[in-house]
Amino acid sequence: SENAATNGGGGIYNLSSSGNIQGCTFSKNQAFITALGNGGGGILNTNSSPAIQNCIFAGNRAGGAGGGIFNAGATAQPFISDCIFTENYGGDGGGVASWRGAPVISNCVFSGNYGNAGAGIHNYYGGSPTIVNCVFSGNHDWPAGSGYFGAALCNWIGSSPKVRNCIFVGNSADNGGCVDNYNAATSTFENCTFSGNGSINGGGIGNRVKCVTTLSNTIFWANSGGEIYSTGTSSTRFAYCDITGGWNGSSVSNISGSTNVDFGGNINADPLFVGGTSGVWTASAVLSSNGFQSVATDAGATWITGELCGKFIQPDTNSISKYVIVSNTATTLTVWGNFSTNSLSGKSYRIYDYHEKSTSGHWEPGLGIWSNDLATSPCIDAGAPASDFSNEPPPNGSRINMGVYGNT
């Protein structure tokens, strides 16, 4: 906690090494220098491939890249799993940045991070991560209104991430509110959900300059500033996706020679998310004793303890930001991220559950039960017929569902 380094690796600097980092907390560490190849407020991996598991990265800062972790060099291939990244800042990559590296990032939460580009993750100069089963919520560009990019994920200059079973909600940036692809980036998104993100150009994804983005079994719904915005002869390929207005509708914008390609199976239909309740806070949020979480109170609520875990809260319905809920009591809920500086008492909130409705039942992760609905989402059993659905419990229709929970 509160360590600093001039060149990089405020907490740990790995050079041409491997190893295991487990169950650690990296808090308020700093890396000052802004030079290319340096950064990592928490950890700098230079041509290193450690296993980083069950760690918390909170409030770390980097003047250059990677407030939490910076992976530098073609042989930087760390395995990062089951980690929390919250309230970190990096000029490029508030949570994680990869320069030419190929990390595997799985089962991680990126919530409330901020930066100029890629507040959650930034990949550049050929960075090619695999990102699986991750949550991106409440990340934002900073300073807001300065024309910055991709609050959840930036892929620049030949980067080629593969993203699967990830959810992107309540993120905001001026360009590419959630994801910004730039300069020959080649990105693949499979079974992801983009909803409630915001931008001037492309609330879901922005593609700039000869990018190729391939989307399958993915939902884009109710993102402000349009679902996808492409310019500079970029190409977006759609297969078995649900998009507000359709794959070639008004919410998918193409300028300067950019194109959309329909690979079939795409729909334009309300995905019928389970949703959630609304209410009014009876007190302002407070920062928890660990300094990484906010606790908000509605004294009139009657929640079942634990029922909201894994769902999302929009703490102020006049703001786009949403945060993933860690736990709840009958009248309080706890989230990753700090919104305690905002006076919430008397303001309206809304809870969101992005599971799709089904008369056969949707999963309630906080309670560990199935709950039947009165309607079935058009995204159920609507993914690509060739996609693996073996992890969906019966009755599964012998076909994968669209969205983040497909094949889970």
Side-chain angles (χ1 to χ4, degrees):
S1 178
E2 299 189 30
N3 301 288
T6 300
N7 291 325
I12 293 176
Y13 178 29
N14 297 310
L15 176 61
S16 301
S17 63
S18 58
N20 295 300
I21 303 170
Q22 297 186 11
C24 297
T25 297
F26 296 81
S27 174
K28 299 180 181 178
N29 302 289
Q30 297 187 61
F32 297 113
I33 201 163
T34 60
L36 183 65
N38 288 289
I43 298 175
L44 171 59
N45 298 312
T46 300
N47 289 317
S48 297
S49 302
I52 304 170
Q53 298 171 294
N54 296 300
C55 293
I56 296 173
F57 295 83
N60 302 287
R61 295 176 61 87
I69 299 174
F70 182 31
N71 307 305
T75 59
Q77 301 177 358
F79 177 71
I80 304 168
S81 68
D82 301 286
C83 292
I84 305 296
F85 296 85
T86 185
E87 298 295 327
N88 301 289
Y89 167 82
D92 296 323
V96 177
S98 295
W99 173 51
R100 299 179 179 169
V104 175
I105 304 171
S106 68
N107 299 306
C108 292
V109 172
F110 295 82
S111 183
N113 301 286
Y114 58 107
N116 305 150
I121 298 175
H122 191 136
N123 309 300
Y124 58 112
Y125 287 105
S128 55
T130 299
I131 305 169
V132 183
N133 296 328
C134 290
V135 173
F136 296 84
S137 64
N139 303 290
H140 59 94
D141 62 346
W142 185 86
S146 298
Y148 289 133
F149 308 93
L153 181 60
C154 272
N155 307 303
W156 286 9
I157 314 174
S159 293
S160 54
K162 294 179 174 61
V163 185
R164 186 176 76 250
N165 289 107
C166 291
I167 185 166
F168 301 83
V169 298
N171 304 284
S172 60
D174 287 350
N175 295 284
C178 201
V179 176
D180 179 67
N181 298 314
Y182 170 66
N183 198 348
T186 303
S187 305
T188 301
F189 294 85
E190 178 183 358
N191 277 104
C192 294
T193 295
F194 293 78
S195 185
N197 305 288
S199 177
I200 299 170
N201 297 313
I205 293 179
N207 299 308
R208 300 179 296 130
V209 189
K210 299 181 179 179
C211 293
V212 177
T213 303
T214 301
L215 309 168
S216 62
N217 303 339
T218 291
I219 298 172
F220 289 85
W221 202 260
N223 297 289
S224 64
E227 304 297 328
I228 299 171
Y229 178 90
S230 300
T231 185
T233 64
S234 295
S235 174
T236 308
R237 303 170 180 181
F238 300 87
Y240 296 91
C241 294
D242 185 13
I243 312 102
T244 303
W247 68 273
N248 210 21
S250 60
S251 68
V252 181
S253 301
N254 290 300
I255 63 174
S256 301
S258 293
T259 58
N260 298 332
V261 183
D262 177 19
F263 281 82
N266 299 298
I267 61 175
N268 168 23
D270 186 337
L272 297 181
F273 295 130
V274 170
T277 59
S278 300
V280 177
W281 301 119
T282 56
S284 289
V286 297
L287 198 61
S288 65
S289 58
N290 63 21
F292 314 142
Q293 299 171 331
S294 296
V295 182
T297 300
D298 177 1
T302 56
W303 299 312
I304 299 171
T305 297
E307 72 169 307
L308 303 180
C309 184
K311 299 181 182 183
F312 297 85
I313 181 72
Q314 185 179 18
D316 181 354
T317 54
N318 291 318
S319 172
I320 201 165
S321 295
K322 300 180 182 69
Y323 299 83
V324 63
I325 300 171
V326 179
S327 62
N328 73 278
T329 67
T331 58
T332 68
L333 55 82
T334 302
V335 307
W336 288 112
N338 180 13
F339 56 75
S340 64
T341 56
N342 300 323
S343 178
L344 292 180
S345 183
K347 291 185 178 179
S348 298
Y349 67 82
R350 183 171 178 81
I351 294 168
Y352 290 81
D353 182 343
Y354 290 94
H355 285 85
E356 297 138 27
K357 291 181 180 180
S358 173
T359 54
S360 296
H362 71 267
W363 182 243
E364 290 281 352
L367 299 177
I369 62 172
W370 292 93
S371 179
N372 292 337
D373 300 297
L374 297 177
T376 294
S377 165
C379 298
I380 298 292
D381 301 332
S387 294
D388 182 16
F389 60 86
S390 60
N391 291 320
E392 294 184 8
N396 55 33
S398 298
R399 188 167 169 180
I400 196 171
N401 300 330
M402 292 180 180
V404 61
Y405 303 111
N407 198 32
T408 64

